[in-house]
Amino acid sequence: MSSVLDKKEKNTVEFTMTVAAETFRDAMDKSFRKNVKNITLPGFRKGKAPRKLIEKTYGEAVFYDDAIDIVFPAEYEAAIKELALEPVDMPRLDVKEIGTDKDLVMTVSVTVKPEFELGEYKGIKLEEIVHTVSDADVDRELAQKQERNSRLVTVEDRAVKEGDIANINFEGFVDDVAFPGGKGENYDLTIGSGQFIPGFEEQIVGKAIGEEFDVNVSFPEEYHAEELKGKPAVFKVKVNGIQYKEMPELDDEFAKDVSEFDTLAELKADILAKLTEQAEKTAKQERENAAIDKLVEDTEIDVPDCMITNRVESMIRENNMRMAQQGISFEQYLSYMGSSVDQFKEMMRPNAEKQVKANLILEAIVKKEAFEITDEMVDDKIKEMAEMYHMEADKLKENITDNDKENIKADMQMEKAVALIVDNVKWSKAKAAKSTTKTAAKTAKAADEEAKAEKPAAKKTTTKSTAAKSTAAKSTAKTTTAKSTAKSTTAKSTTKSTTAKSTAAKKPAAKKAEPAAKKSEKKEKAEVEA
């Protein structure tokens, strides 16, 4: 086999590929054996006709297509390797010369990765990105814990108030005609949550249990249902029942009930530590994204349309997998979005193009820097992956092929490229002052000592969970995905966000003078939170 590069225009390459007559003759023999069983000639049983008679009857070309299909893949792979090409799309071929005892000569046209000039990637100038944690952030997280551990209290002696949960029946009408999706029974509506269209919830306030009334509203002009946009509507509503959330006191007993800690001060310190860890990870990810975005912005690349289209299709597959995990089909997702398939694809193209450019730039940096990834480093990465999937490293290794290992190496090289870029960024001071916190100056130990000085707390004898102590220090390992033969066009290092979620183990603690139902509900919610 021999290949000769004929011409190259932009991102399209054309070359002549010659397959030796002997190789093509073998392919013709295979084509005959494959097809003869389906050929019938007068005087012969099906599949028993001689090859020469078949070729005389139908022409030698009857076996050409399958013979080309048989010989082309391996010959094409050898040709692109010989010519050092990186195809990103399916090849198109034109047969110039063919015959049983002739060389097979074909002209092949294929789109390849674009060539571009890699600019300076060390010393990019960017504004510093910092996330800090304030007292308000800690209080907000604590309030959410308080909310999750609240209990519902049934009301019978008053009307609905702001913040109540009203159980209602309702049916909506536009021009005296009920509309689809406008009816519900025994629906729990939190008053003030903004779940329903503007003006609806406010008209529930002041209504008593059993009361039936009309709610008059107008649908917003930007409402998702075209036939209801801006239309006035009347809802027939009945209040079935009223409840409100009773919040637990934020004290040491609360901390014992919902966490592994003995005091509220310890719990606050733990929340601070976890929020600070997450803030640092978020800032790190944003710094990486900002650096890559700057390189993409400053680098001119004529990206082939097929690369963008392939990336869009890949993004849709990834989106479908995420939706499937939530029990939502792609069709349902499009319906919620109010979009068609074509509109959705068009919406994704700008981001897809940016990802393709980012990946091309990172690949160029990897090639220039020649990052070394050893087998030991790959083994360490596999161990990280095993931890993430809660598997034994050896068992995971058994399922990883040599090709998978090469893909892992490639991903690790990309990560090194991102780290190199970010480590060499020249960060300037942020223009806007970031929020500060007094709480940040306190360590868990200092907070504990302060709490003990104010009020001695009886130490619990239950052994604290080792797993709970260590979860805050764990980071989520990035998943390595296999690349296609044309290589993935996703800048994985820049688009994946690793979010470490920490949980706290529970310690049973009886709360004094608390109703049994309340204790049980709190414990169940605390376990769900963990």
Side-chain angles (χ1 to χ4, degrees):
M1 191 277 298
S2 64
S3 301
V4 178
L5 189 65
D6 298 325
K7 62 180 179 179
K8 183 173 183 180
E9 293 180 0
K10 286 191 176 180
N11 301 315
T12 301
V13 168
E14 189 175 287
F15 62 93
T16 299
M17 189 168 82
T18 303
V19 179
E22 184 181 353
T23 303
F24 187 62
R25 188 164 47 248
D26 289 342
M28 286 286 284
D29 290 342
K30 291 176 182 176
S31 177
F32 164 71
R33 289 194 294 272
K34 173 185 173 184
N35 290 283
V36 67
K37 57 187 176 183
N38 299 316
I39 297 174
T40 302
L41 287 181
F44 295 94
R45 283 180 296 153
K46 187 176 181 179
K48 297 300 182 180
R51 176 175 171 180
K52 287 191 178 296
L53 191 55
I54 294 172
E55 290 179 341
K56 184 177 179 181
T57 304
Y58 296 107
E60 187 181 81
V62 71
F63 300 121
Y64 283 173
D65 286 346
D66 279 324
I68 291 172
D69 288 344
I70 290 167
V71 80
F72 184 78
E75 298 292 321
Y76 174 71
E77 286 297 321
I80 61 175
K81 186 175 181 180
E82 179 186 344
L83 298 173
L85 302 177
E86 292 186 273
V88 293
D89 202 6
M90 296 298 292
R92 299 164 294 281
L93 61 94
D94 181 21
V95 177
K96 297 298 184 182
E97 191 173 340
I98 190 169
T100 304
D101 297 314
K102 295 180 181 178
D103 290 344
L104 172 63
V105 181
M106 296 175 285
T107 298
V108 181
S109 177
V110 66
T111 305
V112 296
K113 283 186 179 180
E115 294 179 355
F116 62 95
E117 186 177 341
L118 180 62
E120 185 53 60
Y121 50 89
K122 296 178 184 177
I124 300 171
K125 293 180 180 179
L126 290 172
E127 188 177 287
E128 177 63 289
I129 298 172
V130 178
H131 287 288
T132 57
V133 181
S134 67
D135 287 334
D137 296 323
V138 175
D139 290 342
R140 193 179 303 113
E141 185 73 16
L142 197 59
Q144 289 175 3
K145 286 182 180 291
Q146 189 182 26
E147 172 87 13
R148 288 193 293 268
N149 287 277
S150 63
R151 74 180 185 112
L152 291 176
V153 178
T154 300
V155 174
E156 296 178 351
D157 57 353
R158 65 166 174 79
V160 177
K161 294 197 309 186
E162 186 78 10
D164 282 347
I165 299 170
N167 183 278
I168 61 172
N169 296 341
F170 62 88
E171 185 171 15
F173 299 83
V174 170
D175 297 329
D176 296 325
V177 178
F179 55 85
K183 184 176 181 179
E185 291 186 356
N186 296 313
Y187 186 90
D188 287 329
L189 175 62
T190 301
I191 307 302
S193 64
Q195 289 176 272
F196 280 24
I197 59 177
F200 187 100
E201 293 170 24
E202 292 86 339
Q203 295 179 57
I204 308 294
V205 175
K207 305 301 182 183
I209 296 172
E211 190 171 348
E212 299 183 29
F213 52 94
D214 290 347
V215 169
N216 294 281
V217 290
S218 290
F219 284 96
E221 292 294 340
E222 66 278 9
Y223 195 67
H224 64 85
E226 191 67 36
E227 67 277 9
L228 297 177
K229 286 183 177 179
K231 294 282 185 71
V234 177
F235 284 84
K236 304 289 184 183
V237 181
K238 178 185 176 183
V239 176
N240 301 317
I242 306 169
Q243 292 180 308
Y244 70 89
K245 287 182 179 178
E246 183 178 79
M247 300 293 183
E249 291 291 327
L250 289 178
D251 54 19
D252 290 347
E253 288 300 318
F254 173 79
K256 292 174 184 177
D257 283 347
V258 304
S259 74
E260 61 173 323
F261 302 106
D262 295 321
T263 66
L264 185 62
E266 284 181 300
L267 176 58
K268 281 186 174 182
D270 182 65
I271 291 172
L272 171 64
K274 289 171 182 173
L275 289 179
T276 301
E277 180 186 17
Q278 182 54 45
E280 289 169 355
K281 287 184 177 181
T282 301
K284 179 179 180 291
Q285 188 65 47
E286 289 182 7
R287 286 193 290 270
E288 290 178 358
N289 291 341
I292 299 301
D293 286 348
K294 179 64 175 169
L295 276 178
V296 169
E297 181 185 332
D298 293 346
T299 307
E300 269 195 44
I301 306 178
D302 181 16
V303 180
D305 188 70
C306 63
M307 292 187 77
I308 301 172
T309 300
N310 291 341
R311 181 57 198 140
V312 167
E313 295 296 336
S314 178
M315 291 167 74
I316 288 174
R317 286 193 296 272
E318 292 164 7
N319 181 75
N320 288 352
M321 288 176 65
R322 288 193 298 270
M323 293 298 103
Q325 290 172 353
Q326 300 173 41
I328 301 172
S329 69
F330 184 49
E331 291 71 22
Q332 288 173 316
Y333 179 72
L334 289 178
S335 177
Y336 299 150
M337 295 283 290
S339 173
S340 67
V341 174
D342 289 340
Q343 288 172 331
F344 186 66
K345 287 182 177 181
E346 196 60 34
M347 179 182 70
M348 298 179 80
R349 281 187 73 84
N351 192 35
E353 182 175 5
K354 187 167 80 169
Q355 288 185 21
V356 171
K357 282 186 175 182
N359 199 64
L360 288 168
I361 292 168
L362 291 173
E363 284 180 350
I365 294 172
V366 166
K367 188 175 181 180
K368 186 174 180 179
E369 296 289 338
F371 298 116
E372 182 184 3
I373 303 295
T374 64
D375 291 339
E376 289 74 19
M377 293 165 73
V378 172
D379 287 342
D380 289 342
K381 191 69 172 180
I382 292 172
K383 287 176 185 176
E384 284 182 28
M385 294 166 63
E387 277 186 32
M388 185 176 70
Y389 290 116
H390 307 292
M391 292 177 65
E392 292 180 17
D394 289 340
K395 290 207 179 248
L396 180 59
K397 246 181 168 181
E398 290 174 5
N399 297 315
I400 293 179
T401 64
D402 289 341
N403 189 55
D404 291 334
K405 286 185 178 180
E406 288 304 311
N407 291 329
I408 292 172
K409 279 187 179 182
D411 285 343
M412 293 175 72
Q413 286 176 319
M414 298 285 261
E415 290 171 8
K416 279 183 171 289
V418 173
L420 178 68
I421 295 164
V422 175
D423 289 345
N424 285 278
V425 170
K426 294 179 179 177
W427 300 102
S428 62
K429 293 287 185 182
K431 293 176 183 176
K434 300 289 182 181
S435 60
T436 57
T437 173
K438 293 178 183 177
T439 311
K442 297 179 182 178
T443 62
K445 182 179 178 181
D448 189 29
E449 288 174 353
E450 179 183 312
K452 288 176 181 177
E454 291 174 356
K455 177 184 174 182
K459 203 71 179 171
K460 293 194 282 184
T461 57
T462 308
T463 303
K464 293 183 179 177
S465 168
T466 303
K469 289 180 180 179
S470 63
T471 47
K474 290 181 181 177
S475 63
T476 305
K478 292 183 180 177
T479 305
T480 304
T481 56
K483 298 181 180 179
S484 64
T485 53
K487 291 187 182 178
S488 168
T489 54
T490 311
K492 296 179 183 175
S493 302
T494 65
T495 58
K496 289 189 179 177
S497 176
T498 54
T499 305
K501 293 185 180 177
S502 301
T503 57
K506 299 289 149 289
K507 289 174 90 175
K511 189 168 182 178
K512 294 179 182 178
E514 183 180 36
K518 181 177 177 182
K519 287 195 295 180
S520 175
E521 184 176 356
K522 279 189 174 185
K523 184 171 182 181
E524 288 175 2
K525 292 184 178 179
E527 288 170 351
V528 170
E529 176 192 347

